Amino acid sequence: MIANACKSGHVPHDCQHPTARARRRLAPQRGAATILFTMMVVALLGFIGMALDLGLVYNRKVELQGLANVVALAAARQLNGTAAGVNNALGKATATAATWKYQHNQQFVVWSNAAISFAALSDGPWKDAAGAASSPDGLLFVKVDTGLLDAAHGAVTLNFMNIVSSSLASVSVGGRAVAGRASIKVTPLAVCAMSNTPAAARSNPSAPPQVELVEYGFRRGVGYDLMQLNPSGTSAENFVIDPIDPPNVYGSAANTWPSLVGPFACVGRLAMPRVTGGPVTVGRPFPLASLYQQLNSRFDQYVGGLCNPVTAPPDVNIKSYLYTAIPWMGTAPGAQAAQSTTHLGKLWTIADPLPAPPPGNTAPMYGPLWAGTRAVPYSSYTASPLEPAGGYAPFATSTWTSLYAPGTPTVTAAYPGGGTATPYSATSGANFLAPSAAHKPMAVAKRRVLNVALLSCPVGGGALSTATVLGIGKFFMTVPATATSIYAEFAGLAQEQSLGGEVTLYP
């Protein structure tokens, strides 16, 4: 019957072609798929738009963070505890920012000193540019906050998120960075200050009297054995500084072991930004027998590969001024440094006591004098944060007979004449010796000067203790150290803030 019906003019549903029937069944499904596809496309476009907007935000954040990093690092390298250092930091910040672009390298940064501040510690408190310039002492850290620049620097227009909500039309981002010192050019050796007075006048008992500058009890141009000093008794006191733990942190005894301290002795640096501001951890005694070869890298001696000439280069002049061969002294010294004495219950040298040296002194007892530094009149001294770049005006060689009486050694024509020249400053001749050809390109001037912490003594008992650093003395090594002695000539005081090492970013 169905077959007959299908042959008639009327075509019932069952007589339709199978494909037609299938199409009719799929029609509703096609409509649903179109709607679903449209929704997926809209969602996909939304995600793409969100990703593009987030990319803009991320890119601007990276640009401004990079700006903060480079400006903070550049500025922090200029700080030295003076107003000039702060002004140099501000100038370097401006110059560095002027080279930086943002918004896909299309817009130059418009710098403002409102975005930079300064502090003595990495976590503040912070001073603005004007406050830092007027009170620069102790400032070693810089903070840069790009959020304090013109708002246009951090404003990012959102092209797609704005469709979702008008409140998402734009966002503001910024970068923040703190930079400052991570090390200081101080040798991990400490000795007692022979006096707690930073600068005093020594009126030498002579005719005419010569008033000499004495700093923490040390006389410029006089040689000392740094292992044979103590202002609080007759037994030598010397210390090794924990090179890792900063002031106010009680360190570990393991940090004072020679194996850990050795590399710091090579380079002459401590892994901390400063040594004042609180007690430092020290061990006693200084393990010289294990560390003297590291100190001697300054003389182009690299025994056993303990130091690397790249990080611990030699001095430009490695000439040893051995007391048996000093051409500029009319009276030959009898030892490498001024002779030790226990006069008045303290361990010092015969050149130090006042109002008069111990009786029985003779010229040979003074050791080599003025190898690297001349004595300075007290009248040349000024109580300013930094010694002048050229140093204080020194005594003339004609004053030796007044400065070192009785039995005064004299200066011969072999001593450099005029100005502030010393044997060490020679660039040729009998007082000069260059390092090896392989190491000469790496050589650094004044590497033989050890920056040594001067402690307030007596220091508490025990192998490990804490001590207060009064100042930092500069000691010029006249000859290589031995397992028992470091012979060095006092060369004045170093300002802590002028001894900056590496600068790094802080969290």
Side-chain angles (χ1 to χ4, degrees), residues 157-257:
T157 300
L158 303 179
N159 299 312
F160 293 91
M161 298 295 291
N162 186 33
I163 300 174
V164 178
S165 171
S166 59
S167 64
L168 299 177
S170 66
V171 296
S172 182
V173 297
R176 178 185 176 278
V178 174
R181 293 184 190 172
S183 68
I184 185 171
K185 296 176 184 176
V186 172
T187 307
L189 162 67
V191 299
C192 291
M194 300 305 288
S195 164
N196 287 348
T197 305
R202 174 190 173 99
S203 184
N204 291 291
S206 58
Q210 299 290 346
V211 183
E212 181 184 357
L213 173 64
V214 178
E215 296 158 289
Y216 287 114
F218 292 97
R219 299 176 69 181
R220 295 194 186 201
V222 171
Y224 297 86
D225 181 353
L226 298 183
M227 297 294 101
Q228 296 297 322
L229 298 172
N230 187 358
S232 305
T234 57
S235 298
E237 277 273 60
N238 45 79
F239 308 87
V240 56
I241 300 177
D242 174 350
I244 297 176
D245 292 302
N248 287 319
V249 175
Y250 190 74
S252 165
N255 290 349
T256 63
W257 293 350

Side-chain angles (χ1 to χ4, degrees), residues 326-330 397 411-417 422-423 430-431:
I326 299 295
W328 65 84
M329 293 186 65
T397 56
V411 182
T412 70
Y415 193 85
T422 61
N431 295 321

Side-chain angles (χ1 to χ4, degrees), residues 192 232 237 239 282 284 455-462 465-468:
C192 291
S232 305
E237 277 273 60
F239 308 87
V282 297
R284 58 157 57 92
L455 306 182
S456 175
C457 289
V459 172
S465 187
T466 59
T468 299

Side-chain angles (χ1 to χ4, degrees), residues 192-467:
C192 291
M194 300 305 288
S195 164
N196 287 348
T197 305
R202 174 190 173 99
S203 184
N204 291 291
S206 58
Q210 299 290 346
V211 183
E212 181 184 357
L213 173 64
V214 178
E215 296 158 289
Y216 287 114
F218 292 97
R219 299 176 69 181
R220 295 194 186 201
V222 171
Y224 297 86
D225 181 353
L226 298 183
M227 297 294 101
Q228 296 297 322
L229 298 172
N230 187 358
S232 305
T234 57
S235 298
E237 277 273 60
N238 45 79
F239 308 87
V240 56
I241 300 177
D242 174 350
I244 297 176
D245 292 302
N248 287 319
V249 175
Y250 190 74
S252 165
N255 290 349
T256 63
W257 293 350
S259 57
L260 186 142
V261 177
F264 296 96
C266 286
V267 300
R269 291 181 180 175
L270 303 175
M272 59 184 77
R274 61 188 310 171
V275 292
T276 62
V280 294
T281 303
V282 297
R284 58 157 57 92
F286 183 78
L288 182 59
S290 300
L291 297 177
Y292 76 95
Q293 291 177 328
Q294 286 89 329
L295 296 176
N296 290 343
S297 61
R298 294 149 178 83
F299 288 87
D300 203 21
Q301 298 179 14
Y302 297 93
V303 178
L306 297 173
C307 300
N308 188 319
V310 175
T311 56
D315 199 296
V316 295
N317 183 359
I318 63 171
K319 175 72 175 181
S320 292
Y321 301 123
L322 190 63
Y323 74 97
T324 56
I326 299 295
W328 65 84
M329 293 186 65
T331 302
Q336 194 59 46
Q339 183 173 305
S340 293
T341 178
T342 55
H343 186 64
L344 301 179
K346 63 172 67 175
L347 184 59
W348 51 10
T349 80
I350 57 97
D352 299 321
L354 276 176
N361 288 359
T362 61
M365 292 181 180
Y366 284 83
L369 294 166
W370 295 21
T373 307
R374 296 183 179 216
V376 170
Y378 184 75
S379 59
S380 295
Y381 168 76
T382 56
S384 58
L386 295 176
E387 186 173 337
Y392 297 127
F395 281 112
T397 56
S398 60
T399 59
W400 276 37
T401 55
S402 300
L403 292 173
Y404 307 113
T408 305
T410 57
V411 182
T412 70
Y415 193 85
T420 59
T422 61
Y424 166 68
S425 61
T427 56
S428 62
N431 295 321
F432 176 78
L433 178 63
S436 64
H439 297 159
K440 187 175 181 179
M442 310 169 192
V444 174
K446 297 184 179 180
R447 265 281 288 167
R448 288 165 63 173
V449 176
L450 304 179
N451 295 319
V452 177
L454 304 178
L455 306 182
S456 175
C457 289
V459 172
L464 193 71
S465 187
T466 59

